Amino acid sequence: MIWIIFALWTLGFVLLWRVPVCPRGSVKNTPLKISLIIPARNEEHNIKRLLDSISTLSLQPFEVIVVDDGSTDRTPEIAREYGALVLPAPPLPDGWRGKTWACWNGSLRAQGETFLFLDADLVLKHDAIERIHHAYNKDDCRVLSLGPYHEVEKPYEQFSAMFNLLTFMGMGSFSLTGSPDDPRGLFGPFLLIDRHTYEAIGGHKVVCAEILEHMSLCALLRQRRVKMRCLGGQGVVHIRMYPNGLASLVEGWTKAFASGASKTSPLTLALSAAWITGGMLAFSFSVMSPMVSSLSPMSAITYAAYAVSLYFMLRPIGRFPIWSCALYPLLMLVFFIIFARSALLRQSGGQVTWKGRTIDTSRREDG
């Protein structure tokens, strides 16, 4: 049984072998004419941090557009103070999600040759545009998506670890056999796409009803054989996902994760489940070892192997300390609970509340 656990342990490295990032370097040719499009709903605390970071970029974007998605706080006022073009989103039509509607309206007003859709809770690092430029202007790339590096501060935020990890595994770009230039998914918080490609596929209008619009956009782009690149965002774009408490973390992951699993390849899902099973078996053996003396040394080794490997796999993804990884059975347990809740709500057509809006988690986006 111990050797089975070790075999399952190796699957973690098969699924997440390396996470390359945007290379450094100066821009030697004409900079991209980037329109930053930021959908924002009740983001007064986050939008200031993002716009602060944009104002200090060593290379400025062509324009910054904030699409106010019905905020009831000071989000639009703060955006105007920073000189952004603020667009009030028209009333949400039937069949649209708030984010897709905001992104679509932002794209209609954008004047740049390239659109960069950014979530409001991101922060861009000083040389972000240069590094984005290098990653994008290579091998005729038309779409660049970065997985934001997760800045974790409070203890409860550690519960995002498994979700972050499995999201990166599900992209297909970071596995032992995968390639950043052949992604099976894109990251929703950061999506750079040239105007012609965006308009050719129909933009956010064709994925208007979907919670994970970026995953469906990826499928459309793959059908058209559009050159895409998917990288880690460490040192380029960072995020603090749920600073407002455990309840927001639960609701945030609940609204999306089961839908994400449905769009992940069956093989990746099976391998991920097997890797998690190995981790729980290692924990079970460590609990049993005091009762069976012969298990004690190997059970400690298998448990430590999972904890240490988890730490190193998470290092390029977010700031998760070793003590958190040592408690990985708890992280996995919380993951199971939230994932089960997400799946049940999705099957039953249940709803969650997110930023003052009721989100339908049903399966309609699969149609």
Side-chain angles (χ1 to χ4, degrees), residues 352-367:
V352 297
T353 300
W354 183 248
K355 295 181 181 178
R357 176 178 283 154
T358 299
I359 304 293
D360 178 11
T361 63
S362 68
R363 300 183 53 157
R364 66 176 180 167
E365 73 270 21
D366 290 347

Side-chain angles (χ1 to χ4, degrees), residues 41-42 242 247-255 341 345 350-361:
R41 177 178 173 84
N42 295 333
Y242 303 113
S248 66
L249 182 148
V250 172
E251 292 299 283
W253 287 119
T254 295
K255 73 181 174 68
R341 180 173 184 253
L345 286 174
Q351 299 175 332
V352 297
T353 300
W354 183 248
K355 295 181 181 178
R357 176 178 283 154
T358 299
I359 304 293
D360 178 11
T361 63

Side-chain angles (χ1 to χ4, degrees), residues 298-337:
M298 290 302 295
S299 65
I301 292 173
T302 55
Y303 187 95
Y306 261 90
V308 172
S309 64
L310 181 61
Y311 172 72
F312 281 102
M313 283 190 287
L314 285 169
R315 281 184 67 183
I317 295 174
R319 193 171 62 192
F320 296 95
I322 188 65
W323 66 261
S324 172
C325 299
L327 298 175
Y328 77 82
L330 180 60
L331 302 181
M332 288 183 175
L333 176 62
V334 172
F335 166 78
F336 283 135
I337 293 171

Side-chain angles (χ1 to χ4, degrees), residues 40 45 47 62 78 111 142 146 194 206 218 246 266 280 289 299 322 324 352 355-356:
H45 298 295
I47 198 75
F62 173 71
I78 292 171
Q111 300 298 311
R142 289 291 176 264
L146 303 184
D194 81 281
V206 296
C218 181
L246 180 60
M280 298 311 292
S289 62
S299 65
I322 188 65
S324 172
V352 297
K355 295 181 181 178

Side-chain angles (χ1 to χ4, degrees), residues 110-294:
Q111 300 298 311
E113 62 189 17
T114 310
F115 300 157
L116 175 52
F117 296 97
L118 293 175
D119 281 4
D121 51 0
L122 299 177
V123 171
L124 296 179
K125 296 303 179 178
H126 180 66
D127 62 344
I129 299 297
E130 287 95 334
R131 297 181 69 170
I132 292 166
H133 193 279
H134 277 277
Y136 183 77
N137 279 347
K138 180 183 177 184
D139 302 329
D140 200 32
C141 181
R142 289 291 176 264
V143 179
L144 174 68
S145 185
L146 303 184
Y149 181 82
H150 194 173
E151 298 284 357
V152 177
E153 296 183 13
K154 297 180 180 179
Y156 76 85
E157 294 177 71
Q158 306 296 327
F159 291 131
S160 284
M162 295 303 301
F163 293 95
N164 287 152
L165 185 66
L166 290 167
T167 297
F168 271 72
M169 288 178 172
M171 292 298 110
S173 296
F174 313 117
S175 68
L176 186 61
T177 58
S179 167
D181 296 334
D182 186 27
R184 298 301 192 269
L186 299 170
F187 293 101
F190 183 109
L191 179 63
L192 180 74
I193 182 170
D194 81 281
R195 174 191 286 273
H196 175 75
T197 300
Y198 181 80
E199 293 175 346
I201 64 171
H204 284 85
K205 188 174 183 178
V206 296
V207 293
C208 62
E210 305 203 16
I211 295 177
L212 300 179
E213 77 291 335
H214 47 284
M215 299 295 284
S216 294
L217 284 173
C218 181
L220 291 172
L221 292 163
R222 285 181 61 84
Q223 289 174 8
R224 292 176 177 246
R225 300 184 182 278
V226 174
K227 181 71 173 180
M228 296 181 283
R229 180 163 292 122
C230 195
L231 301 170
Q234 187 175 18
V236 180
V237 56
H238 290 206
I239 189 172
R240 187 170 175 215
M241 296 187 69
Y242 303 113
N244 298 320
L246 180 60
S248 66
L249 182 148
V250 172
E251 292 299 283
W253 287 119
T254 295
K255 73 181 174 68
F257 211 77
S259 296
S262 72
K263 297 177 184 298
T264 303
S265 77
L267 178 59
T268 299
L269 282 176
L271 294 177
S272 300
W275 175 74
I276 292 174
T277 300
M280 298 311 292
L281 286 174
F283 169 66
S284 299
F285 268 75
S286 68
V287 172
M288 292 172 54
S289 62
M291 296 176 284
V292 184
S293 58
S294 61

